[in-house]
Amino acid sequence: MLWMLFSAVGFLLLIACANVASLSLARATTRAREFAVRAAIGATRGRLLGQLLTESLILAAAGGVGGLLLARWSLHSIVRVDALHLPRAAEIRLDDIVFGFTLGLSVATAVLFGLLPSLSISRPDLSDILRDNVGVSRAASKLFGSRGLLVVGQIALSTVLLIGAVLLLRSFSRLHSVDPGFRPSNLLTFRLALPRARYDTDVKKEGLFQQLVGRLAVTPGVQGVSAALSLPTKKHIYTNIVKVEGVCLADEDYGLTDIQLQSVTPGYFQTLGIPLRHGREFTEQDNVPGALPVVILNESLARLIWPDYPRTQDPIGRHLWEGADKAVGELQIVGIVGDVHESGLTTEPRPEFYVPFVVHPPQRAYLAVRTRTDPLTLASGVRNQVVAVDRDEAVSDLNTMEDVIDESIGQQRLTMLLVGTFASLALLLAIVGISGLVAYSVSKRTQEVGIRRALGAQRADILRLVLGQAFALTFFGVVLGLVGAFALTRVMKDFLFQISATDPATLGGIALLFLIVALLASFIAAERATRVDPMTALRAA
């Protein structure tokens, strides 16, 4: 992800530098006579190059200092934006490495992007330029071609960034619309880790959680409470080996050695809002020592064992053996529940089975509290109830389930926001570049436009002339951008969800959007060309 974001920043820097180089080329046209005079009175080409590169260095240094000041100001804001979920954000700082990198980058950009206009005007045609405007016009035509190449490059890079941003946006939208398999709203979650020295038996562990669940259940504002070995998206996955009565399955074919295990208290499915598909949930009688061992499967495991489920197979009443505790013996299947994305929204639900809490009381467990109002308003009450049960026990990971899910997709959100911001800035810079180039072209072709108007050219003809030039540059830039995107966006495939890195709709939509926006941005300059007075233009000629 860091390399991808670094590449996006590099693309944006190249686009900005191309804009600066384009402006420098335009300014070089107006200074052609100045440098011709300097060369005529003895200035060497090295002296002219030195002056131009010095100006570029001053410009780049000012930009570098401004960037550092902006970075210092923005760091204080970025670390406070909870939506970004930046890991170790408090450790981000401006140090000597950042200052050195900024200095080197400023010098490099000054030399590379100040060199093109410097070379163009450091060797002027003295006779033409000092005699009349012919040399200036010739230089303008030459520099216009260079600016066109820069604009094509800007559009190509911007197209790549825009395609990447739209792919991430569509991916995140699909990720956010995934049904997690439960209702995350109005759920408060926290974790308890029991010290092994005091809770060294299953009876002690199960007793503490049972007492705590009972106290929380009668707290005002609480609709339901349950404890579990893990919670969805926490990625604390426990796997097990299972065998099924009357079913002969090859482990290597069906993966029955890697089945997820969940140990839950009664009311877990109702508290989290996990739908019961068939059979019944656990009861309090199932969660006492010596009770008949029972088990509940999710639909993925049911289909794995019985491919015809639910058409012809009824798992209820069948028996299952699991390998975590050989003393448990067989477990009777009493229910089937819906699939849950235990490992996160980006991972498909895995085969899973649930056992009562008393079967495998964990040393560390999560508790989920279903509330009637904002879950965080009960945070202090939850802590008080934990202290009332065991004053030495500490609550950790206290959060709402909605925040837990948001945190699980935080990396995708951060990548989408940053790349989207860079792409928006790149689009703005590219539009500025192409509209500036068209405006520059119109100013240099005033006489030509005046002559065409005098010979009978209509408004539509002038618009077609100017916009055709903008369309050609944009078209070539977009084509190059599509080629680049087809190659570069493949590195994003690990960050995309249910969408291809070469999605045709995205590639075609961005190309069409860029062409329309570029033509609209160029229309102002084209409209100005239609208002050129033929007599004024001919008189200036």
Side-chain angles (χ1 to χ4, degrees):
M1 183 188 71
L2 291 178
W3 279 113
M4 188 174 67
L5 294 178
F6 189 77
S7 300
V9 174
F11 278 18
L12 187 60
L13 177 64
L14 286 174
I15 294 169
C17 289
N19 249 349
V20 174
S22 180
L23 293 173
S24 299
L25 283 170
R27 188 165 178 261
T29 305
T30 63
R31 300 181 68 184
R33 186 178 296 276
E34 171 195 342
F35 281 93
V37 172
R38 290 177 181 271
I41 61 178
T44 63
R45 192 185 188 198
R47 182 71 177 268
L48 297 178
L49 282 173
Q51 177 185 342
L52 291 168
L53 289 178
T54 300
E55 294 175 358
S56 298
L57 282 171
I58 294 174
L59 184 65
V65 171
L68 285 174
L69 293 176
L70 181 61
R72 183 173 183 179
W73 170 81
S74 62
L75 275 182
H76 297 289
S77 303
I78 290 176
V79 296
R80 291 176 173 82
V81 179
D82 295 332
L84 294 180
H85 295 294
L86 282 173
R88 303 173 67 178
E91 300 178 25
I92 302 175
R93 66 188 185 279
L94 299 178
D95 53 16
D96 295 339
I97 296 178
V98 176
F99 282 103
F101 179 79
T102 305
L103 176 62
L105 194 62
S106 299
V107 173
T109 53
V111 172
L112 291 177
F113 292 93
L115 193 61
L116 180 60
S118 301
L119 292 175
S120 300
I121 65 174
S122 62
R123 185 180 290 173
D125 189 341
L126 300 182
S127 59
D128 284 342
I129 293 178
L130 294 178
R131 183 170 57 249
D132 50 32
N133 286 332
V134 174
V136 176
S137 301
R138 198 173 294 161
S141 176
K142 180 180 179 181
L143 293 178
F144 178 80
S146 301
R147 290 191 68 188
L149 293 177
L150 289 174
V151 169
V152 169
Q154 285 180 286
I155 293 173
L157 294 175
S158 301
T159 301
V160 175
L161 277 180
L162 275 175
I163 290 174
V166 172
L167 286 174
L168 289 172
L169 178 61
R170 294 184 61 187
S171 173
F172 187 78
S173 176
R174 295 187 180 188
L175 182 63
H176 220 272
S177 64
V178 171
D179 180 9
F182 64 98
R183 291 184 291 112
S185 60
N186 288 2
L187 266 182
L188 184 68
T189 65
F190 62 96
R191 186 170 73 102
L192 290 181
L194 306 183
R196 293 185 181 275
R198 288 191 292 118
Y199 296 93
D200 54 351
T201 65
D202 288 348
V203 174
K204 292 180 180 179
K205 290 183 288 186
E206 200 276 333
L208 178 135
F209 286 111
Q210 192 74 11
Q211 184 181 358
L212 180 57
V213 168
R215 295 181 68 96
L216 289 174
V218 297
T219 302
V222 173
Q223 285 185 321
V225 184
S226 186
L229 183 63
S230 181
L231 283 179
T233 74
K234 284 297 185 179
K235 299 183 180 180
H236 294 166
I237 304 302
Y238 301 88
T239 59
N240 209 336
I241 301 172
V242 299
K243 295 181 180 180
V244 184
E245 175 189 22
V247 178
C248 182
L249 298 173
D251 292 346
E252 61 272 18
D253 294 336
Y254 291 90
L256 294 182
T257 60
D258 194 26
I259 308 301
Q260 287 186 184
L261 162 68
Q262 262 284 35
S263 182
V264 300
T265 59
Y268 175 79
F269 305 106
Q270 186 175 1
T271 299
L272 266 71
I274 300 174
L276 179 67
R277 303 300 189 192
H278 196 37
R280 65 172 179 87
E281 298 186 19
F282 295 136
T283 65
E284 294 295 339
Q285 289 72 27
D286 297 324
N287 198 43
V288 295
L292 176 68
V294 293
V295 64
I296 293 177
L297 313 183
N298 73 345
E299 290 188 301
S300 290
L301 181 55
R303 293 192 187 97
L304 181 64
I305 300 174
W306 298 282
D308 291 335
Y309 170 85
R311 294 187 299 274
T312 60
Q313 298 287 346
D314 184 9
I316 304 301
R318 300 285 188 94
H319 291 85
L320 175 147
W321 289 263
E322 50 99 0
D325 191 343
K326 297 297 191 299
V328 173
E330 64 180 20
L331 301 120
Q332 184 180 15
I333 301 173
V334 297
I336 306 293
V337 295
D339 293 335
V340 176
H341 291 262
E342 297 281 1
S343 302
L345 300 183
T346 59
T347 305
E348 291 297 321
R350 297 172 56 182
E352 182 177 20
F353 68 94
Y354 302 81
V355 296
F357 211 70
V358 70
V359 176
H360 296 298
Q363 203 74 35
R364 299 177 180 84
Y366 286 88
L367 282 94
V369 181
R370 171 74 62 182
T371 65
R372 294 184 176 89
T373 57
D374 182 7
L376 291 179
T377 59
L378 297 179
S380 59
V382 166
R383 289 192 177 94
N384 292 337
Q385 295 293 355
V386 173
V387 172
V389 175
D390 186 344
R391 67 176 60 190
D392 296 325
E393 191 61 41
V395 174
S396 62
D397 292 345
L398 182 65
N399 223 328
T400 66
M401 180 55 76
E402 290 177 326
D403 288 340
V404 171
I405 293 179
D406 285 342
E407 185 177 356
S408 70
I409 57 177
Q411 187 182 63
Q412 288 87 349
R413 177 190 293 105
L414 176 61
T415 307
M416 179 198 67
L417 288 175
L418 292 178
V419 174
T421 301
F422 299 150
S424 300
L425 292 173
L427 175 63
L428 178 62
L429 289 174
I431 295 304
V432 169
I434 192 169
S435 59
L437 179 62
V438 172
Y440 175 82
S441 172
V442 169
S443 67
K444 293 302 178 182
R445 301 175 69 178
T446 301
Q447 295 176 4
E448 176 190 345
V449 171
I451 293 173
R452 290 177 180 271
R453 290 291 305 278
L455 294 176
Q458 301 300 313
R459 180 176 180 273
D461 298 323
I462 302 302
L463 286 176
R464 191 179 303 111
L465 173 68
V466 178
L467 293 180
Q469 184 182 51
F471 178 83
L473 292 174
T474 306
F475 178 79
F476 286 120
V478 167
V479 170
L480 289 177
L482 290 176
V483 174
F486 190 81
L488 295 178
T489 53
R490 292 176 180 272
V491 303
M492 297 173 54
K493 60 182 180 180
D494 292 335
F495 297 91
L496 301 179
F497 180 73
Q498 294 183 354
I499 189 170
S500 171
T502 56
D503 179 56
T506 300
L507 297 179
I510 292 299
L512 182 61
L513 174 66
F514 218 122
L515 288 171
I516 294 174
V517 172
L519 290 177
L520 290 176
S522 306
F523 185 79
I524 297 176
E527 177 67 21
R528 188 173 61 194
T530 63
R531 296 195 297 268
V532 172
D533 184 7
M535 295 303 299
T536 303
L538 292 175
R539 191 178 300 116

